[in-house]
Amino acid sequence: MKQCEISSEELLRRKKLAEKTRKMICGVLEIVSQDETSIMTTYRDFYLQISFSELHPLMVFCLAKPIDVSKENIASVSNKVNLTSVLGSHCVNEYYGCYHYRATHWLDTEIGQARFLEILNRCVDEASRGYEKVAC
């Protein structure tokens, strides 16, 4: 099977798309920390990390929140939540006492502030639903 070659022009377009999206997000959210691939902040009671992959290009939302892991069958409940989730994945790190939600979005075209906030809020809504089911 022949591998797909990506032209240098397409690679540059993808890189610029990820860079422009990241810059827009930094103008919308109060960024606490950042590195070469990610920006970190808080949003609606969650720790939020948004990572970018220029090659694909992807924008990955990771939402985390402390959770009481003493609840019986917490990992099993988390797995059941995953069976009904279409937007992303839910898990519980019992060692650190943390609920985690992750969703990946393709950056096929440029997105504006309104579209970004729509995507972010839908991710947070899904994470909140998952957290409530796992925490209760």
Side-chain angles (χ1 to χ4, degrees):
M1 180 176 216
K2 184 178 178 184
Q3 287 191 350
C4 181
E5 294 288 326
I6 301 173
S7 70
S8 57
E9 292 84 16
E10 177 60 13
L11 287 173
L12 182 60
R13 183 192 77 79
R14 292 175 181 192
K15 181 177 180 176
K16 286 183 179 181
L17 184 59
E19 287 173 351
K20 193 167 188 175
T21 302
R22 180 182 177 136
K23 185 177 180 180
M24 179 271 299
I25 293 170
C26 288
V28 173
L29 301 176
E30 185 177 323
I31 305 306
V32 174
S33 179
Q34 59 183 308
D35 59 26
E36 304 81 40
T37 60
S38 303
I39 54 179
M40 284 72 73
T41 189
T42 56
Y43 190 78
R44 288 178 45 194
D45 296 327
F46 283 92
Y47 297 105
L48 169 64
Q49 177 182 26
I50 303 172
S51 301
F52 299 90
S53 169
E54 297 171 353
L55 178 61
H56 296 96
L58 300 172
M59 177 173 52
V60 182
F61 294 85
C62 296
L63 295 153
K65 190 181 223 182
I67 194 167
D68 177 11
V69 294
S70 65
K71 179 184 172 191
E72 199 170 308
N73 298 321
I74 196 164
S76 176
V77 174
S78 177
N79 287 336
K80 287 179 183 176
V81 171
N82 271 322
L83 293 173
T84 59
S85 179
V86 265
L87 296 179
S89 63
H90 307 259
C91 71
V92 173
N93 183 317
E94 294 181 78
Y95 182 78
Y96 289 107
C98 185
Y99 165 84
H100 185 264
Y101 173 80
R102 180 180 178 138
T104 302
H105 294 272
W106 283 93
L107 288 172
D108 290 331
T109 60
E110 187 176 323
I111 63 170
Q113 179 178 337
R115 179 70 174 134
F116 165 72
L117 289 171
E118 176 188 359
I119 293 168
L120 174 60
N121 282 309
R122 287 182 188 207
C123 286
V124 175
D125 290 346
E126 177 68 13
S128 295
R129 280 190 294 276
Y131 181 85
E132 289 303 316
K133 288 179 181 177
V134 172
C136 293

